[in-house]
Amino acid sequence: MGKFDDIGKLMYLPLEEIKTDGQSYESDFIISAAAEAVLQAGGRNWIPIIVKEISDNNYLVVSNYFIYAVAQKAELERVWCIVIESDEKSIEQAKILARETIPKVNLSVATRETILAALRYLISEPGSALKGVDPVIAANKISEAKRETWSNFNPITTLRCGITKGKKLDALSKVFFLSQPKPSEPPPPAPEIISIKRASRDEIFSHLSYLSKYKIGGFEAIDPDQAADVIFTASKSKWKSLNPISKLECGIDTAKIKTLKTVFSL
Amino acid sequence: MPLTNWSDILDKILPDECVEQVICNQFVEPLLEALGFNAQERRPQFKTGNGADKVDFAVRYNKDSDIFSKSQINPYLLVEVKARATGAGNKINLAEGTPQYLAARQQIKKYLLAPKCQTAQWGIITNGVHIQLFRRHGRIVIPATNNEIIKKDNITDIVTQIKNLIENPPKALTISVYNNKGGVGKTTTTINLAAILKKQQKKVLLVDFDSQRDLTKSLKLEVGSVSLFDCLTDKNLDVRRSIVPFSPIGKKGKPVHLFDVIPSDIRMEQLTDNNVTATIQKGSARLRDLLKNFVYDYDYIIIDCPTQWIFFSQSSIYASDVVLIPTKHNGSTSLYNAARVIKDFIPEVKKARNDGGPMALSIFFNGEKITDPQLKVTNAEIEKIIKEYGINLLPYYWPKATPGNVDKTIFSIPSYATVANAAFSHVPAVLLNSTVEQHYLGFAKEYFLYG
């Protein structure tokens, strides 16, 4: 948000420079009538489209898709837009405020009140899969359960609160998420073992990154970048095993050498 | 401690002082000092733990080596300070009912219920013109004094009154369950609320103050060694002896004590007789005096009172901190009568009591499950009531409404066959059925219990 960019500003941008990757799903009647209303105001849309800048003179609609559709219908030459930060969080927030996305709360830590309010919302939705679930009872039981340890919503089905596996349980993900990372998928096959003496710095880095990324043998605590530098620059000609690495003070101790052997040879 | 020279202090503050900090320094600090909190027991700009919220002052008596100004944990009293005027010179009027008063009241409530203020029992709002003390009990925040206008000749009394209250905090919250319309489940609510509060380790006293004796009968109790009825007229009787324990037979075949009850006396019907009423000194205010004997012993005192606005219900509401109003979603009379309770009866009592109380709680539905079309009709009816009786009624019907948004959620306890059957077995339904238990637990948490 500075002098040299347009973030946060209300801009009057050429419609042809704006692309969209989303749609609004309104009836033709609403779109046409809204376009007419905009045209009657001399083509001025008082509620702006929310866009992010992709490159110079190149924008992408990230929210208020409806207004984009109206501008297209009205064949406006330029349209009023707000340019927002292009990170995911800002875009998510814009969509939430425009009522295009339903905000989610962290079920691992949410208060009972929040859970109750969220369940009431879900149940009141037309055609809700949770019809028949009593929000008060469900909120009581969920809030009293050991939620911090949940990695998915399945434990809810054992609480006997009317939320069963299938549609009902799935509906919860509309408003809830869990902070606990989902159990990690089995890591992809390990990279081929290479000789640590001959490996390039990048090869050492990529092998260490694999161990670190998939949290194998406690390597998630290692900074692969730094460790790769240390190992690469160390004088290795006299090494008779990988054990000297534990003395390099790069975080890899003797306990980790065994894991290291799954991706490196001497 | 030298007497605070309030005359001097009040003279020094500009009548339209627009800087909050000046009120803090010149008025609130001496006030806190006079209430017995020294500089080490105060913390300005206390973080409540709710987002970036800060309350102007938090205070607590120091315990041994735990210096509050340093540890900043477990506050006892919070103070939210306002200026006397805005920067533009407009008065900030904290008189009861003004938008500024309502906002400040909302603010102190939010602070008192914030994560780091769970130990706080009292809150003050003041701008050096008005001052009011609030008491927090669980989730409930109620006025503990009138909203007073500060004058040189009453400030000492105000300070003394506040000091007395915060030095002797009552333990109990006294609740009347009342609707001017009958058949809304007052007795059922009273009994089951008591049982669920007991399950949450609270000590509860029930008072059957209805000559119909529904509560007494449904728990199969008899009047204790002294009758509350006699205590009303005879000041020499010990009201404690009117208490009988309610101890139904538990699963192991032994009686389990749940809560205490002051049963109703069949002679209470005589009270319609003028001669008997004339013997009760202080009239409808008498019950409050009697129940004061119990406010340091129980967590909750719940009074079941009759339907009409007569001696019994007037006494009950006069004796209460809060009034719980059951309604029926399919009975528009119960909704209209709730409005009368909130708009007419409670203010009448409030005026007579002159201490800020009692306060109505938001209504709730008691009864059959609500279908969507029914709910629409009910909400339309409520909209009419609010139009007729004024917008200030909105929070009593739709408590989830916030500025700019009306969430029409109303708490409801669905009725089950077991609730009705429980009356025959003389045991609260929450003890017989886990679904009913969950509903009343939700109810207790919505209204009374913190956390």
Side-chain angles (χ1 to χ4, degrees):
Chain A
M1 244 178 273
K3 279 181 188 164
F4 306 106
D5 64 39
D6 296 329
I7 288 169
K9 287 184 195 155
L10 187 60
M11 304 286 290
Y12 195 37
L13 300 173
L15 187 55
E16 59 175 16
E17 289 180 8
I18 306 169
K19 304 283 170 290
T20 183
D21 61 352
Q23 301 291 330
S24 108
Y25 296 91
E26 282 297 341
S27 79
D28 176 48
F29 161 70
I30 296 286
I31 299 284
S32 304
E36 187 53 38
V38 169
L39 288 172
Q40 274 173 13
R44 169 136 204 174
N45 56 304
W46 286 109
I47 300 212
I49 300 175
I50 313 299
V51 299
K52 72 172 182 183
E53 197 179 62
I54 306 169
S55 58
D56 286 358
N57 309 321
N58 204 350
Y59 303 89
L60 186 72
V61 182
V62 293
S63 186
N64 277 356
Y65 296 100
F66 169 65
I67 296 163
Y68 179 76
V70 172
Q72 288 286 0
K73 185 82 184 181
E75 296 179 351
L76 300 180
E77 202 169 311
R78 279 177 182 262
V79 61
W80 289 95
C81 303
I82 290 179
V83 183
I84 69 163
E85 296 272 12
S86 57
D87 62 291
E88 258 178 58
K89 271 204 155 163
S90 306
I91 292 172
E92 169 87 4
Q93 186 232 55
K95 286 186 204 276
I96 288 171
L97 292 187
R99 300 292 312 269
E100 286 166 353
T101 292
I102 298 163
K104 290 187 183 189
V105 293
N106 187 346
L107 189 60
S108 317
V109 295
T111 62
R112 182 184 162 279
E113 276 169 86
T114 306
I115 297 171
L116 178 58
L119 289 173
R120 276 181 170 147
Y121 165 77
L122 280 182
I123 293 166
S124 69
E125 285 284 273
S128 169
L130 290 165
K131 272 264 154 15
V133 171
D134 189 293
V136 173
I137 294 180
N140 283 349
K141 295 198 169 174
I142 293 173
S143 65
E144 277 162 16
K146 255 192 139 234
R147 292 172 272 151
E148 320 80 65
T149 59
W150 292 356
S151 55
N152 56 44
F153 296 134
N154 291 342
I156 293 176
T157 57
T158 64
L159 298 177
R160 300 166 51 103
C161 60
I163 300 175
T164 46
K165 217 172 168 73
K167 270 195 293 183
K168 284 195 165 72
L169 194 65
D170 296 345
L172 296 184
S173 61
K174 231 172 138 182
V175 293
F176 294 119
F177 68 91
L178 289 160
S179 57
Q180 201 77 3
K182 293 230 161 79
S184 49
E185 290 165 25
E192 217 169 306
I193 294 178
I194 52 164
S195 158
I196 205 153
K197 286 187 178 178
R198 284 194 294 273
S200 70
R201 192 264 173 207
D202 281 349
E203 282 169 328
I204 296 175
F205 172 72
S206 73
H207 280 57
L208 288 174
S209 297
Y210 165 81
L211 294 176
S212 165
K213 184 175 172 194
Y214 297 104
K215 300 179 180 171
I216 301 165
F219 272 71
E220 62 271 27
I222 308 285
D223 176 2
D225 209 27
Q226 191 206 343
D229 282 352
V230 174
I231 295 171
F232 180 65
T233 49
S235 162
K236 297 181 279 283
S237 55
K238 288 184 181 157
W239 286 9
K240 294 204 166 61
S241 73
L242 295 180
N243 291 339
I245 291 178
S246 61
K247 299 201 172 63
L248 297 178
E249 294 188 348
C250 59
I252 302 173
D253 50 26
T254 39
K256 291 195 178 70
I257 298 290
K258 196 181 166 199
T259 309
L260 204 62
K261 283 178 183 165
T262 61
V263 287
F264 291 110
S265 64
L266 195 60
Chain B
M1 192 173 52
L3 275 177
T4 319
N5 189 343
W6 287 111
S7 179
D8 249 24
I9 289 170
L10 293 174
D11 275 339
K12 276 186 193 146
I13 308 172
L14 299 172
D16 51 358
E17 179 58 62
C18 63
V19 180
E20 198 181 295
Q21 196 55 47
V22 173
I23 306 285
C24 287
N25 297 345
Q26 300 196 350
F27 177 70
V28 180
E29 297 216 346
L31 172 73
L32 291 171
E33 196 74 44
L35 290 175
F37 299 96
N38 65 39
Q40 300 231 296
E41 295 171 323
R42 312 197 283 257
R43 170 71 203 173
Q45 297 300 311
F46 180 83
K47 289 197 188 101
T48 66
N50 190 354
D53 280 355
K54 284 180 196 162
V55 61
D56 291 314
F57 284 97
V59 301
R60 192 239 300 146
Y61 306 111
N62 288 336
K63 281 178 221 136
D64 308 322
S65 60
D66 183 2
I67 307 297
F68 180 65
S69 62
K70 287 194 186 128
S71 68
Q72 294 180 34
I73 50 164
N74 303 335
Y76 180 62
L77 164 75
L78 308 179
V79 188
E80 178 55 27
V81 186
K82 299 286 168 206
R84 289 177 162 186
T86 64
N90 296 321
K91 282 251 180 293
I92 295 180
N93 184 359
L94 288 187
E96 199 141 340
T98 63
Q100 288 138 327
Y101 169 77
L102 295 174
R105 193 171 157 165
Q106 207 54 43
Q107 209 178 351
I108 196 76
K109 181 175 175 187
K110 186 174 159 204
Y111 293 156
L112 283 167
L113 298 176
K116 285 190 179 165
C117 304
Q118 294 192 32
T119 52
Q121 290 192 36
W122 305 95
I124 290 175
I125 53 178
T126 186
N127 63 347
V129 178
H130 284 92
I131 185 165
Q132 188 171 21
L133 176 72
F134 291 87
R135 176 182 163 219
R136 166 257 179 85
H137 185 285
R139 186 173 281 279
I140 301 260
V141 175
I142 43 172
T145 65
N146 254 341
N147 184 13
E148 303 279 4
I149 298 181
I150 300 166
K151 295 177 203 135
K152 282 182 192 172
D153 60 4
N154 73 356
I155 178 73
T156 321
D157 292 343
I158 294 173
V159 173
T160 312
Q161 191 194 2
I162 294 178
K163 197 163 187 246
N164 278 339
L165 283 164
I166 63 175
E167 282 177 353
N168 308 295
K171 186 178 172 193
L173 182 79
T174 308
I175 308 164
S176 272
V177 184
Y178 180 68
N179 191 328
N180 202 33
K181 169 84 178 70
V184 290
K186 288 190 294 289
T187 305
T188 312
T189 305
T190 308
I191 292 174
N192 286 295
L193 179 60
I196 203 73
L197 288 170
K198 160 69 188 176
K199 277 204 157 196
Q200 301 293 307
Q201 286 78 47
K202 303 293 179 194
K203 209 177 157 195
V204 185
L205 172 67
L206 293 190
V207 183
D208 187 355
F209 209 53
D210 185 343
S211 57
Q212 279 195 28
R213 308 177 69 234
D214 283 350
L215 188 140
T216 305
K217 280 186 275 183
S218 75
L219 297 177
K220 227 179 165 180
L221 296 171
E222 292 300 332
V223 176
S225 53
V226 160
S227 163
L228 181 62
F229 175 74
D230 293 324
C231 294
L232 289 173
T233 46
D234 187 344
K235 277 176 283 191
N236 296 320
L237 290 175
D238 182 4
V239 67
R240 287 167 196 277
R241 292 175 58 207
S242 67
I243 288 178
V244 296
F246 175 63
S247 312
I249 304 297
K251 281 181 188 136
K252 286 177 188 157
K254 284 182 190 159
V256 181
H257 178 247
L258 281 184
F259 44 75
D260 289 337
V261 183
I262 299 184
S264 168
D265 188 328
I266 200 143
R267 292 175 298 150
M268 272 173 49
E269 279 180 346
Q270 294 173 15
L271 270 182
T272 40
D273 182 347
N274 261 342
N275 291 338
V276 181
T277 328
T279 59
I280 302 174
Q281 290 164 315
K282 288 178 80 178
S284 300
R286 174 75 180 133
L287 179 68
R288 181 170 169 82
D289 287 351
L290 288 172
L291 294 184
K292 270 185 187 159
N293 286 298
F294 304 113
V295 295
Y296 298 103
D297 298 334
Y298 292 90
D299 294 303
Y300 291 91
I301 299 172
I302 313 176
I303 315 172
D304 188 17
C305 49
T307 301
Q308 288 129 22
W309 189 233
I310 50 175
F311 171 79
F312 301 106
S313 25
Q314 287 162 1
S315 298
S316 306
I317 291 182
Y318 192 93
S320 297
D321 297 313
V322 292
V323 182
L324 192 56
I325 309 173
T327 63
K328 288 239 182 233
H329 68 84
N330 48 6
S332 81
T333 23
S334 76
L335 293 171
Y336 272 95
N337 275 301
R340 285 199 64 199
V341 175
I342 298 163
K343 200 77 181 168
D344 301 334
F345 301 158
I346 292 178
E348 187 187 327
V349 173
K350 199 170 156 179
K351 209 172 150 207
R353 262 215 354 222
N354 203 27
D355 66 354
M359 181 182 90
L361 298 176
S362 55
I363 65 153
F364 67 99
F365 292 142
N366 219 348
E368 302 78 27
K369 274 217 156 151
I370 310 169
T371 63
D372 286 350
Q374 272 174 338
L375 191 60
K376 261 195 178 160
V377 174
T378 307
N379 278 330
E381 202 68 38
I382 291 174
E383 229 155 275
K384 266 200 237 160
I385 293 172
I386 291 169
K387 246 191 201 147
E388 189 177 324
Y389 285 86
I391 190 77
N392 284 347
L393 231 54
L394 192 136
Y396 297 106
Y397 284 86
W398 290 319
K400 308 268 179 212
T402 49
N405 186 53
V406 179
D407 177 334
K408 295 187 176 173
T409 308
I410 295 174
F411 196 90
S412 93
I413 307 177
S415 69
Y416 289 89
T418 41
V419 179
N421 290 340
F424 295 109
S425 55
H426 307 291
V427 174
V430 297
L431 302 181
L432 301 175
N433 180 296
S434 70
T435 308
V436 176
E437 178 188 343
Q438 287 296 331
H439 277 290
Y440 277 93
L441 178 62
F443 175 63
K445 286 191 170 179
E446 181 86 10
Y447 281 86
F448 301 108
L449 301 171
Y450 186 87

